[in-house]
Amino acid sequence: LYIFSWLTYTGIMLCKQSFMDFNFSLPQTEKITICGDTHGQYYDLLNIFKLNGLPSETNPYLFNGDFVDRGSFSVEVILTLFSFKLLYPDNFHLLRGNHETDNMNQMYGFEGEVKAKYTAQMFQLFSEVFQWLPLAQCINNKVLVMHGGLFSEDGVTLEDLRKIDRNRQPPDSGPMCDLLWSDPQPQNGRSISKRGVSCQFGPDVTERFLEQNKLDYVVRSHEVKADGYEVTHSGKCITVFSAPNYCDQMGNKGAYIHLRGSDLKPEFHQFTAVPHPNVKPMAYANTLMQLGMM
């Protein structure tokens, strides 16, 4: 009952965090830490806090989606993140990823994990709270952060993003889908996504979007990177991924970014995976997904 009440309060608070106020003002003398996907890797999340300090009013964080699924400690990850959101509502920011959705949770383990550790009712409550997570955050009107990337069509403005009805499961196309699912590509133009959802966008697409919206660059996550981060599109599209040795298989580093209000120049910090209890990734996933890990 206590956890139900606590999750309900979290949902109400996220409701109040209207997408209309998605601009975050970072004072010149302060910094914010941006983390990418954590994917249920709870012990690596704790390592981030060990290396970079616990969240506080003077040590703000932004976690850029995909908190759950694949890793088998997703419940611990999301409860920790929600706890810090309640403790520091103005200094701890959570954005929605493509894995904060029902269909992904059903396949990749979060639904099964919640039902194994709690109840089906608890999963439904998580689902409702996920729908209120913001889709993007703009820092000092210059840096736009989203989980996936840019859009299948030109002409999308920040005002268009403010108008998105986010309290739902994402559609198969359109700006909400793109914010959660798209990926950058090295060549100009757009192409069909390798994921089968949304699109891939080139440096010319990024340049036009930034120019139209008077932004300097975008930060996104959504893709595992060997170094934990990648800078593309002439420095105007940055990927950060914070789940090292992803799924206990990839051997990648994790990373997080420091942005300082004085210049908004990204500073990259890498880290490696730490040991965790002997529970394999995808332990609670759909049976077909588990077979894919073998």
Side-chain angles (χ1 to χ4, degrees):
L1 179 60
Y2 172 78
I3 295 179
F4 281 164
S5 300
W6 178 79
L7 276 175
T8 301
Y9 181 74
T10 304
I12 292 170
M13 188 158 71
L14 290 168
C15 291
K16 291 180 178 178
Q17 187 181 330
S18 166
F19 198 60
M20 290 297 291
D21 62 359
F22 78 141
N23 187 64
F24 174 77
S25 295
L26 183 63
Q28 286 201 352
T29 58
E30 296 182 10
K31 69 172 173 64
I32 189 170
T33 300
I34 302 176
C35 298
D37 305 39
T38 48
H39 273 303
Q41 296 186 197
Y42 177 62
Y43 295 88
D44 294 310
L45 173 65
L46 296 183
N47 191 38
I48 292 174
F49 295 145
K50 179 180 179 180
L51 295 170
N52 193 60
L54 289 172
S56 70
E57 293 178 352
T58 58
N59 192 27
Y61 278 81
L62 191 163
F63 279 83
N64 195 22
D66 279 15
F67 321 120
V68 301
D69 282 339
R70 297 192 184 272
S72 295
F73 304 95
S74 293
V75 167
E76 290 81 359
V77 167
I78 196 60
L79 291 180
T80 300
L81 296 179
F82 279 173
S83 295
F84 280 119
K85 180 62 181 174
L86 289 173
L87 189 60
Y88 302 111
D90 298 324
N91 307 99
F92 195 82
H93 308 276
L94 301 173
L95 302 184
R96 191 177 186 180
N98 63 300
H99 278 266
E100 280 70 57
T101 57
D102 285 357
N103 60 348
M104 301 300 282
N105 295 161
Q106 290 161 6
M107 290 188 292
Y108 290 100
F110 184 59
E111 180 179 2
E113 182 180 345
V114 175
K115 289 179 177 179
K117 295 178 178 179
Y118 294 102
T119 64
Q121 183 182 3
M122 177 70 95
F123 173 73
Q124 184 57 41
L125 192 54
F126 273 117
S127 174
E128 292 175 15
V129 174
F130 285 167
Q131 292 186 158
W132 284 109
L133 289 169
L135 300 172
Q137 188 116 38
C138 192
I139 301 174
N140 289 4
N141 294 305
K142 289 298 181 182
V143 179
L144 186 65
V145 185
M146 77 289 281
H147 180 74
L150 298 182
F151 306 100
S152 301
E153 297 180 354
D154 284 343
V156 176
T157 66
L158 298 185
E159 184 61 29
D160 294 328
L161 303 186
R162 291 185 177 97
K163 294 177 181 178
I164 294 175
D165 174 16
R166 73 180 192 268
N167 182 24
R168 55 178 170 152
Q169 296 302 311
D172 294 331
S173 61
M176 182 177 179
C177 174
D178 296 332
L179 284 168
L180 299 175
W181 278 99
S182 71
D183 296 295
Q185 64 181 20
Q187 67 272 26
N188 282 337
R190 293 180 176 88
S191 62
I192 297 172
S193 173
K194 59 184 180 291
R195 303 175 188 270
V197 183
S198 186
C199 70
Q200 297 179 182
F201 59 94
D204 57 331
V205 175
T206 301
E207 181 68 33
R208 290 194 298 270
F209 175 80
L210 296 176
E211 183 177 354
Q212 179 177 9
N213 290 283
K214 298 180 173 60
L215 298 168
D216 290 345
Y217 61 92
V218 298
V219 177
R220 42 91 61 183
S221 299
H222 194 41
E223 291 182 287
V224 60
K225 298 297 178 182
D227 292 325
Y229 71 94
E230 184 177 62
V231 181
T232 57
H233 296 184
S234 301
K236 296 182 178 180
C237 181
I238 296 171
T239 299
V240 60
F241 192 85
S242 303
N245 194 26
Y246 183 43
C247 292
D248 287 356
Q249 291 185 350
M250 300 301 293
N252 61 290
K253 294 179 180 178
Y256 51 85
I257 300 172
H258 285 165
L259 290 187
R260 301 183 185 276
S262 56
D263 59 10
L264 297 179
K265 180 180 178 181
E267 301 172 5
F268 302 100
H269 299 264
Q270 298 170 298
F271 59 99
T272 56
V274 297
H276 62 75
N278 189 25
V279 182
K280 294 181 179 180
M282 303 283 280
Y284 302 97
N286 178 289
T287 304
L288 292 176
M289 297 296 105
Q290 292 182 14
L291 291 174
M293 294 290 291
M294 295 179 180

